[in-house]
């Protein structure tokens, strides 16, 4: 942070109010538990500047709850907003409302085109999908099929999962050696009975599947299924959560691709503060480096 920013912020003695719109973390959605930790670290680092953080946490893939939280934010008129625009249609409407009120906003985790976002901090989801494809392609026989598992209620409206899947499939069009079928299944819940029913049906009809990609941080859900059914296959997924790490240690998950969620949210707070105090932004798109984790990385980390 430059001395000019420091001087200006200290002179004004203004308290900046930031609203944070992200999914609610929990036992089955541990990835989002890391983001508030990054936000609190940023607030600590920016002391003695005065920042107030108003968390509006929505149920993942729940459009009604997302809209309700956006209305609460608009009623409070914050100075700026940090959001994960996971639900594309609803997020675009919210961005339009923020634009009308001249409230700046920064995206984390997911990027949406054709908005006036001040900045984006997160993974290049398309490239992340290609990395996952390259990991599977390296260890899989060319003739084996691959199953892409999307644990989402409305895949079409879930931007980052779509971009990962597009990147994954693009790899096999121009670089991959695998020529087996690429099969996709959408499972709207992580309930064990539902997952088993869907997965059993797919595998009974497609016995040539040799690898699985899980497009979200819920990789452990598919790992649980493979372990229970004693299926030996390549499994690649996303995010270094505790549950995923457990299956990685046991050899059920082969690779995880991480995007450092704490760093995302920490940077977002600092970039928004920078914008509020200088009306400039140093970087419009700040892609997090892709982190590839296997059991060896886990052992030394």
């Amino acid at each position: 942070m430059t001395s000019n920013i420091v001087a200006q912020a200290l002179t004004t003695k203004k308290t900046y109010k930031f609203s944070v719109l992200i999914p609610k973390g929990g036992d089955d959605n541990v990835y989002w538990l890391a983001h508030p930790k990054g936000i609190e670290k940023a607030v600590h680092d920016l002391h003695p500047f005065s920042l107030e953080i108003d968390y509006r946490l929505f149920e993942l893939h729940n459009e009604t709850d997302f809209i309700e939280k956006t209305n609460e934010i608009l009623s409070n008129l914050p100075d700026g907003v940090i959001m994960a625009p996971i639900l594309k249609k609803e997020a675009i409407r919210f961005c339009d409302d923020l634009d009308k009120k001249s409230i700046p906003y920064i995206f984390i985790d997911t990027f949406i085109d054709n908005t006036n976002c001040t900045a984006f901090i997160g993974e290049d989801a398309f490239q992340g999908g290609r990395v996952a494809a390259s990991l599977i392609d390296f260890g899989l026989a060319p003739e084996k099929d691959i199953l892409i598992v999307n644990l989402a209620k409305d895949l079409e409206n879930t931007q980052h999962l779509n971009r990962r899947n597009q990147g994954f499939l693009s790899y096999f069009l121009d670089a991959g050696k695998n020529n087996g079928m690429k099969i996709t299944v959408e499972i709207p819940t992580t309930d064990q009975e539902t997952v088993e029913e869907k997965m059993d049906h797919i595998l009974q009809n497609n016995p040539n599947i040799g690898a699985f990609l899980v497009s979200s941080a819920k990789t452990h859900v598919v790992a649980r299924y493979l372990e229970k059914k004693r299926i030996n296959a390549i499994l690649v997924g996303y995010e270094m959560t505790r549950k995923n790490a457990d299956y990685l240690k046991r050899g059920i998950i082969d690779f995880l691709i991480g995007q450092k969620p704490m760093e995302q949210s920490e940077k977002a707070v600092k970039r928004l503060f920078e914008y509020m105090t200088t009306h400039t932004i140093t970087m419009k798109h700040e892609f997090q480096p892709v982190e590839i984790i296997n059991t060896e990385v886990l052992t030394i980390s």
Side-chain angles (χ1 to χ4, degrees):
M1 190 178 300
T2 68
S3 58
N4 286 340
I5 298 174
V6 172
Q8 186 173 344
L10 285 173
T11 301
T12 59
K13 295 182 180 179
K14 175 180 170 61
T15 296
Y16 292 96
K17 296 183 294 182
F18 294 166
S19 286
V20 175
L21 178 67
I22 58 175
K24 186 184 299 180
D27 188 53
D28 197 39
N29 193 22
V30 292
Y31 169 71
W32 288 103
L33 291 174
H35 287 78
K37 295 177 183 176
I39 291 168
E40 297 308 320
K41 183 179 184 304
V43 171
H44 178 268
D45 290 348
L46 287 168
H47 184 76
F49 308 118
S50 184
L51 288 178
E52 288 182 5
I53 304 295
D54 172 47
Y55 290 98
R56 300 290 162 167
L57 309 178
F58 64 93
E59 295 287 345
L60 189 64
H61 306 307
N62 185 329
E63 294 88 348
T64 302
D65 194 35
F66 183 92
I67 292 169
E68 183 179 312
K69 296 302 188 295
T70 62
N71 289 336
E72 291 172 3
I73 290 172
L74 291 166
S75 297
N76 288 338
L77 289 177
D79 295 302
V81 174
I82 295 165
M83 72 166 117
I86 290 170
L87 299 172
K88 185 177 181 180
K89 294 194 293 284
E90 291 75 18
I92 288 174
R93 286 199 291 269
F94 181 44
C95 291
D96 288 341
D97 290 334
L98 291 172
D99 290 339
K100 290 172 185 173
K101 295 180 180 294
S102 299
I103 298 173
Y105 49 94
I106 285 181
F107 291 154
I108 57 172
D109 184 78
T110 301
F111 178 73
I112 297 181
D113 286 313
N114 302 316
T115 63
N116 294 314
C117 74
T118 302
F120 164 69
I121 300 162
E123 74 162 336
D124 182 336
F126 188 88
Q127 191 60 35
R130 288 184 64 90
V131 170
S134 70
L135 293 170
I136 287 177
D137 198 44
F138 182 76
L140 186 65
E143 70 278 2
K144 299 293 285 186
D145 299 336
I146 301 170
L147 179 65
I148 303 168
V149 183
N150 299 293
L151 290 155
K153 189 175 73 172
D154 184 3
L155 180 63
E156 185 180 348
N157 197 33
T158 310
Q159 178 79 348
H160 66 299
L161 301 190
N162 269 315
R163 291 294 290 161
R164 284 175 180 170
N165 290 346
Q166 290 164 6
F168 185 85
L169 294 172
S170 80
Y171 179 87
F172 294 103
L173 295 176
D174 57 36
K177 61 182 175 61
N178 180 272
N179 51 31
M181 289 195 300
K182 312 300 181 291
I183 305 158
T184 301
V185 61
E186 187 174 330
I187 305 177
T189 175
T190 57
D191 171 70
Q192 188 168 354
E193 186 177 336
T194 304
V195 170
E196 286 193 18
E197 181 184 335
K198 288 268 192 181
M199 294 292 287
D200 284 347
H201 179 74
I202 288 282
L203 290 172
Q204 285 165 10
N205 289 294
N206 301 276
N208 192 43
I209 291 171
F212 298 79
L213 169 73
V214 181
S215 60
S216 70
K218 298 175 182 178
T219 311
H220 59 90
V221 174
V222 174
R224 178 185 63 193
Y225 171 85
L226 296 180
E227 185 177 53
K228 180 179 179 181
K229 301 288 183 174
R230 298 185 179 180
I231 296 171
N232 185 21
I234 296 171
L235 174 58
V236 175
Y238 290 85
E239 303 312 335
M240 184 59 175
T241 66
R242 179 184 54 78
K243 288 186 176 182
N244 286 346
D246 287 344
Y247 283 106
L248 190 67
K249 290 174 187 174
R250 301 212 293 271
I252 309 299
I253 296 175
D254 295 282
F255 292 100
L256 291 168
I257 299 168
Q259 56 171 325
K260 300 182 179 179
M262 276 186 63
E263 288 187 17
Q264 270 187 38
S265 51
E266 179 188 348
K267 288 179 179 177
V269 173
K270 291 178 179 179
R271 296 297 173 272
L272 187 55
F273 179 78
E274 176 187 358
Y275 181 77
M276 297 304 303
T277 52
T278 68
H279 304 293
T280 60
I281 197 80
T282 53
M283 195 179 298
K284 179 82 173 178
H285 290 258
E286 193 166 346
F287 291 120
Q288 292 287 95
V290 169
E291 184 179 36
I292 299 172
I293 307 155
N294 64 5
T295 50
E296 298 305 315
V297 175
L298 199 65
T299 302
I300 64 174
S301 60

